[in-house]
Amino acid sequence: MSDEGETLNEQIGGWVAVIVITICALISGGFMPDWNVLPYVVWLAIAGLGGAIGVAIYTQNWLHGTIAGVIIGVGAVLGVHAYIIARSMLLEGWPFFKLELMLGGGLGALPGLLYLFFVANRD
């Protein structure tokens, strides 16, 4: 990566992954109930596929980028879901802030992000 910032493929790949994973996490977490027309497992698959495509474009290392993207996508959705369950049990009835869900998504995506930075980005 150059010192000037992200390349075009890094920008496009990053946005593809972030948008697809975020939408899947919000829908499957119940924050966009009108859009929740698919089973939970399908939202996991869509998040994994979106993450795989986005991270593969980001890294241009198709094998390791795809693996990292699947782990990031599925992990983020599962992390948001786990956070919603834990938070609802601890603070029943309190409203959720959508930015608060980034904590669960970030923790869920952490294994994939570690794989991305330590394995997929090697030259």
Side-chain angles (χ1 to χ4, degrees):
M1 188 169 104
S2 67
D3 291 337
E4 298 172 7
E6 292 183 327
T7 63
L8 182 61
N9 67 296
E10 290 173 336
Q11 291 175 359
I12 292 171
W15 279 110
V16 165
V18 166
I19 290 170
V20 172
I21 293 168
T22 301
I23 289 173
C24 290
L26 289 175
I27 291 172
S28 66
F31 290 93
M32 299 169 78
D34 293 339
W35 291 21
N36 194 4
V37 295
L38 300 171
Y40 183 74
V41 175
V42 176
W43 291 118
L44 284 175
I46 293 171
L49 182 63
I53 291 169
V55 176
I57 293 170
Y58 179 88
T59 63
Q60 290 187 344
N61 181 340
W62 296 102
L63 175 63
H64 293 296
T66 300
I67 294 168
V70 168
I71 297 169
I72 291 169
V74 172
V77 173
L78 290 174
V80 167
H81 190 79
Y83 181 81
I84 291 169
I85 291 170
R87 165 76 157 60
S88 296
M89 288 174 25
L90 294 173
L91 300 172
E92 187 176 339
W94 287 37
F96 276 95
F97 299 103
K98 289 189 180 175
L99 289 177
E100 178 184 8
L101 300 175
M102 289 176 52
L103 177 64
L107 289 174
L110 189 60
L113 291 171
L114 291 173
Y115 182 85
L116 171 67
F117 290 115
F118 291 117
V119 177
N121 277 337
R122 289 190 170 191
D123 292 331

